[in-house]
Amino acid sequence: MALAARYADLLCTEGVVRGLIGPREAPRIWDRHLLNCVLMAPALATGQRVADIGSGAGLPGLVLAIARPDVSFTLIEPLLRRTTFLEEVVAELGLDNVTVERGKADAFHGKQSFDVVTARAVSALSNLIAWGMPLVAADGALLVMKGSSAEDEIEGASEALQAWGCAPPDVEEIGDPDAGAVRLVRVRWSGGPRVSLRPQGAGAAKAGARARSKRRQGKRRGDA
Ligand SMILES: C[S@@+](CC[C@H](N)C(=O)[O-])C[C@H]1O[C@@H](n2cnc3c(N)ncnc32)[C@H](O)[C@@H]1O
């Protein structure tokens, strides 16, 4: 709790001054941000390697790292002023289970893999599948925090799920429903065609799009 309180303090002072969170977020930093993020903590297991993509000022990555010292975290964030803040918080809180990496998620495709990849407020589920799934180990999962739009986003991501060889996602409602819906969308590899459909390397998102386009062409030829 002492570490979480110090992190809340840093978010509400330096975080606001540096424009990493809006000034209106400061009074609701606990209920809207820290307590919201810590709801994911029970979804992690001891010893797992977790990547948080698009960590921003450390949500949910730093909250989870404070709550779960038994899990190691890599925070992936492209913007320098955000990674600078993340590194400063990690040093000040003495978190030895956190590594900060600067870059977009796809820069790490084919280089690192993780048991769990998390994301909150980063992009549509279809993009997160293309950015996050190539980082997910064979028996791992992508865990995305969404609100009431979760089911619609899954429907909108049906092509991406198929192209990347993912199983139909699970949705778990977490926390107190009276405090606003938080839905955890869990995407895993399917046991089926992922080997041929899971492109590797920095061009993975484009390759995923090519895979989808090829499938459509094949379908049209089949229809003709
Ligand atoms: C709206 S902020 C959300 C930050 C944080 N997750 C939160 O819940 O407050 C989105 C973050 O995603 C980062 N981002 C955007 N595209 C990305 C990509 N392709 N890979 C990794 N991070 C990305 C942005 O730099 C930004 O910090």
Side-chain angles (χ1 to χ4, degrees):
M1 272 309 294
L3 292 179
R6 181 66 190 128
Y7 175 44
D9 189 38
L10 288 167
L11 281 172
C12 295
T13 52
E14 278 302 305
V16 172
V17 170
R18 298 188 202 181
L20 306 179
I21 66 159
R24 276 183 304 178
E25 301 310 310
R28 52 191 188 185
I29 200 73
W30 281 97
D31 52 351
R32 200 180 164 114
H33 298 286
L34 304 193
L35 295 176
N36 172 273
C37 289
V38 85
L39 292 173
M40 288 176 91
L44 307 175
T46 297
Q48 281 186 324
R49 297 156 301 147
V50 176
D52 181 38
I53 62 178
S55 279
L59 302 166
L62 282 181
V63 176
L64 294 173
I66 291 167
R68 296 298 304 261
D70 56 331
V71 173
S72 63
F73 293 85
T74 300
L75 312 184
I76 298 178
E77 167 57 51
L79 296 185
L80 178 61
R81 71 196 164 97
R82 294 182 182 181
T83 56
T84 302
F85 177 77
L86 293 172
E87 280 163 353
E88 288 173 12
V89 176
V90 167
E92 172 148 357
L93 302 188
L95 298 174
D96 58 8
N97 59 336
V98 181
T99 304
V100 178
E101 296 276 14
R102 184 172 169 219
K104 290 191 171 181
D106 64 2
F108 302 91
H109 291 182
K111 294 181 186 155
Q112 296 195 41
S113 78
F114 300 90
D115 303 302
V116 176
V117 173
T118 58
R120 172 186 186 256
V122 175
S123 192
L125 184 63
S126 52
N127 292 332
L128 291 171
I129 288 166
W131 300 347
M133 285 308 288
L135 299 174
V136 173
D139 55 356
L142 173 69
L143 287 183
V144 182
M145 288 189 87
K146 291 285 176 189
S148 52
S149 67
E151 281 79 6
D152 289 345
E153 291 224 25
I154 291 171
E155 208 175 309
S158 60
E159 274 195 40
L161 288 163
Q162 200 177 7
W164 286 86
C166 305
D170 305 322
V171 182
E172 188 186 339
E173 185 140 343
I174 52 175
D176 176 1
D178 294 337
V182 178
R183 291 198 173 88
L184 198 54
V185 179
R186 184 180 277 103
V187 185
R188 291 193 172 92
W189 295 114
S190 82
R194 83 171 169 88
V195 173
S196 58
L197 290 174
R198 180 186 167 196
Q200 295 287 330
K206 282 184 191 151
R210 279 199 299 278
R212 290 195 291 280
S213 161
K214 256 186 165 173
R215 291 175 69 83
R216 280 197 293 273
Q217 281 167 17
K219 194 162 177 272
R220 275 201 294 275
R221 274 199 295 276
D223 290 345

